[in-house]
Amino acid sequence: SWDFLPSNLLMQCDPSVEEVEAEFWRIVEQGSPDEEVEALYGQDLDTGHYGSGFPLPQWRRELLQKYIDSRGEEMIVSQLKDDIAMKYVDDPWNINNMPLCKGSLLSHLREDGLITGVMVPWCYVGSCLSSFCWHIEDHALYSVNYLHLGSPKVWYGVPSNATKAFEQAMRDALPHLFEASPSLLYQLITHLSPNELRKRGVPVFRVIHEANSFVVTMPNAYHSGSN
């Protein structure tokens, strides 16, 4: 307990990534029903409507306007005028442009409507200790993640050649949960620490995701993490 510290000193405390990470896993593995922890998490925010740090290219603006018109909404997608936005609107590292990259299968879906989370990037906002549980991407796709600002995130990844070992380890560690819900791994609600996975022979890698950088996950590779 930190009750003996004066409040002005508490405000100056700046725990390291490792300290926050350790506290997260302590709560997950040892937290009692009497210990209430609240973490706020905004997820799956459509960047076509809410925006992001990546400006919408013209083809996306046209499709967005078409979608708005089809719903009978009275809204006009504004044109870009900001010099910085114009600089990055057609940049290949602009996540909005990635579905049309050369060789991307997603380019064939352009006229079939925008699939949010695949063709349209999602934005997430997470407070300290908010997390995303172990999962692979739908249809075993890659994922590309950019951290706009804020404190670092911690990611854990299991290579695709260890997918079966990972799933077996999860069932071995949590048999009662899988008995109640055989599709548990597809629900994005289950966490297990990297230490428990390594005990069962599963290779787990860790990366600290700093602001202004990307993290890319491979097809069929399980990953999770926390803010």
Side-chain angles (χ1 to χ4, degrees):
S1 173
W2 299 96
D3 295 341
F4 64 94
L5 291 175
S7 58
N8 63 332
L9 183 58
L10 280 173
M11 294 299 291
Q12 299 174 23
C13 290
D14 187 14
S16 67
V17 171
E18 288 73 21
E19 289 172 327
V20 175
E21 184 181 17
E23 176 64 6
F24 173 82
W25 287 115
R26 185 199 66 79
I27 293 169
V28 171
E29 297 182 318
Q30 303 172 22
S32 67
D34 299 328
E35 183 179 20
E36 183 175 331
V37 178
E38 179 179 353
L40 303 180
Y41 194 46
Q43 63 180 23
D44 301 353
L45 302 177
D46 186 330
T47 58
H49 285 77
Y50 298 104
S52 74
F54 295 99
L56 289 178
Q58 186 60 34
W59 71 273
R60 274 290 312 280
R61 305 172 77 78
E62 292 173 357
L63 286 178
L64 178 58
Q65 187 66 62
K66 183 179 179 181
Y67 172 77
I68 292 172
D69 294 342
S70 70
R71 294 171 60 88
E73 300 177 9
E74 295 184 4
M75 175 183 169
I76 301 298
V77 178
S78 61
Q79 294 300 310
L80 292 177
K81 297 180 180 179
D82 183 89
D83 290 342
I84 295 179
M86 292 298 294
K87 178 181 178 181
Y88 291 105
V89 67
D90 294 320
D91 193 287
W93 281 100
N94 181 338
I95 290 183
N96 290 302
N97 291 322
M98 290 186 177
L100 296 189
C101 285
K102 182 179 180 181
S104 172
L105 290 175
L106 298 180
S107 64
H108 299 285
L109 302 178
R110 176 175 171 176
E111 301 304 327
D112 296 333
L114 298 181
I115 305 169
T116 58
V118 178
M119 298 289 284
V120 179
W122 276 332
C123 184
Y124 297 79
V125 183
S127 70
C128 184
L129 299 180
S130 59
S131 66
F132 45 105
C133 296
W134 288 107
H135 68 286
I136 56 175
E137 300 303 310
D138 294 341
H139 307 296
L141 293 170
Y142 291 86
S143 77
V144 182
N145 311 270
Y146 183 80
L147 182 55
H148 287 297
L149 51 84
S151 299
K153 298 170 66 172
V154 176
W155 288 72
Y156 307 105
V158 173
S160 58
N161 60 11
T163 294
K164 290 185 178 180
F166 170 87
E167 294 175 348
Q168 183 56 48
M170 292 289 282
R171 291 186 176 91
D172 177 67
L174 306 167
H176 57 296
L177 296 182
F178 280 92
E179 183 176 348
S181 180
S183 62
L184 191 64
L185 288 176
Y186 298 100
Q187 300 174 28
L188 281 76
I189 59 172
T190 307
H191 247 323
L192 189 66
S193 76
N195 289 336
E196 291 297 322
L197 290 168
R198 288 195 184 104
K199 288 179 184 177
R200 293 167 172 81
V202 179
V204 182
F205 295 85
R206 172 182 178 273
V207 66
I208 296 179
H209 191 182
E210 302 280 358
N212 304 314
S213 65
F214 290 87
V215 163
V216 178
T217 68
M218 296 294 105
N220 214 36
Y222 277 96
H223 50 279
S224 68
S226 63
N227 296 297

